[in-house]
Amino acid sequence: MPLYLGLDSSTQSLGVVVLEITGARRRVVLEDSIDFDSSFPRFGTRHGVLPHDDPAIAVSSPVLWAEALDAMMARLAASGLDLGGLAAVSGSAQQHGSVYLNAGAADGLAAMDAAHPPGEQVRAMLSRPIAPIWMDSSTSAECAELTSAIGADALTRCTGSRACERFTGPQIRKFFKQQPAAYAATDRVHLVSSFLASLLVRGHAPVDTGDASGTNLLELASGRWWPAALDATAPGLAEKLPSVARPWTVAGTLSPYWQRRHRLPPAMVIVWSGDNPCSLIGTGLVREGRVAISLGTSDTIFGPMDAPRPDERGTGHVFAAPTGAFMGLTCLRNGSLARERVRDAFGMTWEAFAAALDATPAGNHGRLLLPWFEPEITPVVPVPGVRRYGVPVDDGPANVRGVVEAQQMALALHSRWMNVTIDTIHATGGAAANRSILQVMADVFGADVYQFEVRNSAALGAALRAYHGDETSKGRAIGWDEVVRELAEPRPDTRLRPDAARHAVYLDLLRRYEKAEEEALR
Ligand code: XUL
């Protein structure tokens, strides 16, 4: 039975989904996840991030990601699945993060010794021990330099985004400026996705157009690195970046390392992509008209776009989509960690959090808060600080409602640029299990909200991309509706309907939220 494996290296964990797809049968045969902090305490990460004194800096460890990949492959090998039938593998990774490899990496990848875990072997390939990730907001100076070299409009039009602190280009520029010798010793700058794919195929894998869209370096229209952006970022960058490939490209086969170490077959490896492009497929969004909201470490709202229509106001992004079309995306940094902060501050369980939501009225008696517990991406808020408009610091239920309503209103406000009439939302991510949160989502947007069978839409999307890539490589033209059929469809029995009276409350509150945001930003 052909099996398709989707891996998802996210901020806090490594997830996996295995699908069995034959002519008549399509089903999920395995879902699993390994948490970075608790499974690899020796790295000292907190929520997947290495501790740092400067709150603007967020870095993690490529060695940790490699070790987690090994641990997950070991679990798969021990799962009892008949992995002899593994046809193809693909992956999803947190977007924007970068991994810096030295000139020995190409040989190192080819010569990995199956008798040993990958961690120390990877360490020897790094020209920079740490990897900046998407939560890093320390590159405002580099963003300003990139913008002044290219122009904000040209950059947005060509790459789909204004210069953004977390995007890979500004991060590379900061590394080049602060550590020129280490930059010079860097032979290849991978994204997290292309780094992990490289570990699987024993050589430098390409980056797909979707994840490459999160760098400020890709010309969206051509799907190629944009020389003007490369020149404005760092010298010699063109030679250091991986090649860019369409999302269904075969990167290679599972290397002898994985074959020997975990008795896996030489399955085809399809290029990896970013978590949001993969989630687009994992929530079944293969044509323009609907959106998904992912409630994860970041809260994101995204949907397919037939042609790139960048956000002129500058907070949204256009990425290449796994289908060959495009996607619009808005990302809030204060997602699950902000909800967790509130929950923990009042010593609640998630059940108590949901009960507090249910026990408080829509609109929170007209009280508001701006949920900037951490530096925020949308809108750009470099110095964190929660602003309160009537929400008392010590009132648990009011704070629970305040944070959830604020997040949903921010998603609604900052996705207007996509110009999509939102009447149906596909909800995914860990917190999409919480129907009380989803009811607020339905009421704020005035839209139906659906849940999915598989919660990890990024891993599911990666597995479906593996299937699509496998079919395509065999010359079988397969439509995306067929790829996602039955496996990434919203469950009709989970539908949450908006309440007209509550939606009216939010229409009013949203205007006040917008004003409060404007004032706070001033
Ligand atoms: C998207 C973004 C995050 C990361 C982590 O632009 O920064 O959603 O992909 O999940």
Side-chain angles (χ1 to χ4, degrees), residues 111-122:
M112 280 175 67
D113 179 356
H116 299 285
E120 291 314 309
Q121 305 184 62
V122 163

Side-chain angles (χ1 to χ4, degrees), residues 11 94-96 134 166-167 275-276 298 300 317 319 329 331 377:
T11 315
Q94 56 171 311
Q95 295 199 253
H96 316 296
W134 67 276
R166 69 193 191 286
F167 276 40
D275 54 357
N276 293 296
S298 61
T300 54
H317 312 291
F319 296 156
L329 172 130
C331 173
I377 289 170

Side-chain angles (χ1 to χ4, degrees), residues 150-167:
I150 293 182
D153 288 350
L155 194 63
T156 308
R157 224 179 307 118
C158 191
T159 70
S161 300
R162 67 169 179 84
C164 297
E165 279 74 4
R166 69 193 191 286
F167 276 40

